[in-house]
Amino acid sequence: MHERLPDGGVIRKLWMAEAAKYRDHLLRLDPNSRRNRFAGVVSDSFIANYVALSIDLDGIIHGYFVAGVLRGAAELRPLGSELAREAEAAFSIEKPWQSLGVGSALLSRTLLAARNRGIGLLHMACLADNRRMQQLAHKFDAELTFDFGSVVGEVEAPHPTPVSMLREIVADSHGFATAMLDVQARLLRSA
Ligand SMILES: CC(C)(COP(=O)(O)OP(=O)(O)OC[C@H]1O[C@@H](n2cnc3c(N)ncnc32)[C@H](O)[C@@H]1OP(=O)(O)O)[C@@H](O)C(=O)NCCC(=O)NCCS
C-alpha cells in the first residue's frame, strides 16, 4: 500500500473542504488530458460547476499530492440506487506526472474502495482512442473486462473482507497523517 510514488507524492482521500484544490487541478490539465478526462471538450466554467456538484458525500475522490499540491485524482461515484452496486470511475493526472505509475496507484486504491462498498460493477468513462487509460485498465485484467469505447470493469470480489477494510483504513491514516504534516508545514512557513 505504501507504494513509492514520483516526487515523494502521497495518495489520500480528498475532504469536502478541498473543492478548490480539485477545481484548480482539473483546470491545470492540458487540453488533451482535459478532453480525455471529460470525454469531450469542456470549458473552465463547466469544470467549476462540475466540481461544485461532484464534491459531496456520495463520491470518493483519491488525490495524489506533491508538496501539498493536488497533481492527480481518481473519482469513484456510485450510480443509481444503493442496491444497484454500480459506480463510475474517472481519472486525471497532470501531464508532468503521467506515465510514472500514479494512475496505476490511484486505480488500485479506487478498486479497494469500490470493493469495500460492495460495488460489483465499475464503469470507466473513457474515449475509444485513449490507449493509455485502456492499457492501465488492462493491468487490472483479472478485475476488469472491456466494452466498446468505454471501459466497463467488474470488481472481482464484491464483498469486503476484514483485510481489505484494514488496508483502506491503514491507507487513510497514512494519508491523514501526511495531510496533517502538510498543514503544519504550511503553518510554519506562514508564521
Ligand atoms: C490515463 C491516465 C489516468 C493514466 O495514468 P498514468 O499515471 O499516466 O498511467 P501509469 O503510469 O500508471 O501507466 C499505466 C499503464 O499505461 C501504459 N502507458 C503508460 N504510459 C503510456 C503511454 N505514454 N502511451 C501508452 N501507454 C502508456 C502502460 O501500460 C502503463 O503500465 P506499466 O507502466 O505497468 O507498463 C493519465 O495519463 C491521465 O490522467 N490522462 C489524462 C486524463 C485521462 O485520460 N483520463 C482517463 C479517462 S477517465
Side-chain angles (χ1 to χ4, degrees), residues 33 36-37 90-93 97-104 125 130 132-133 135-136 139:
S33 297
N36 278 328
R37 165 59 181 80
F91 295 78
S92 51
I93 292 149
W97 288 272
Q98 289 179 7
S99 298
L100 299 173
V102 178
S104 307
N130 192 345
R132 193 161 16 185
M133 188 65 228
Q135 286 290 334
L136 169 53
K139 282 175 60 177

Side-chain angles (χ1 to χ4, degrees), residues 48-127:
N49 289 334
Y50 171 83
V51 169
L53 289 172
S54 71
I55 291 255
D56 59 24
L57 289 173
D58 273 2
I60 296 166
I61 305 174
H62 283 98
Y64 164 67
F65 287 85
V66 177
V69 182
L70 185 65
R71 297 299 185 181
E75 240 184 274
L76 178 71
R77 185 156 306 283
L79 295 172
S81 74
E82 231 178 80
L83 291 177
R85 306 236 177 270
E86 288 187 24
E88 189 181 56
F91 295 78
S92 51
I93 292 149
E94 292 176 34
K95 206 171 175 65
W97 288 272
Q98 289 179 7
S99 298
L100 299 173
V102 178
S104 307
L106 283 170
L107 178 53
S108 154
R109 205 64 80 80
T110 300
L111 287 177
L112 181 61
R115 174 180 179 178
N116 284 341
R117 280 152 193 79
I119 289 164
L121 193 62
L122 196 62
H123 301 272
M124 290 165 75
C126 175
L127 294 173

Side-chain angles (χ1 to χ4, degrees), residues 120-162:
L121 193 62
L122 196 62
H123 301 272
M124 290 165 75
C126 175
L127 294 173
D129 63 0
N130 192 345
R131 289 266 165 270
R132 193 161 16 185
M133 188 65 228
Q134 292 173 22
Q135 286 290 334
L136 169 53
H138 268 308
K139 282 175 60 177
F140 294 82
D141 251 348
E143 299 165 66
L144 298 168
T145 51
F146 296 87
D147 186 27
F148 306 107
S150 58
V151 183
V152 177
E154 207 149 342
V155 179
E156 200 184 33
H159 301 296
T161 63

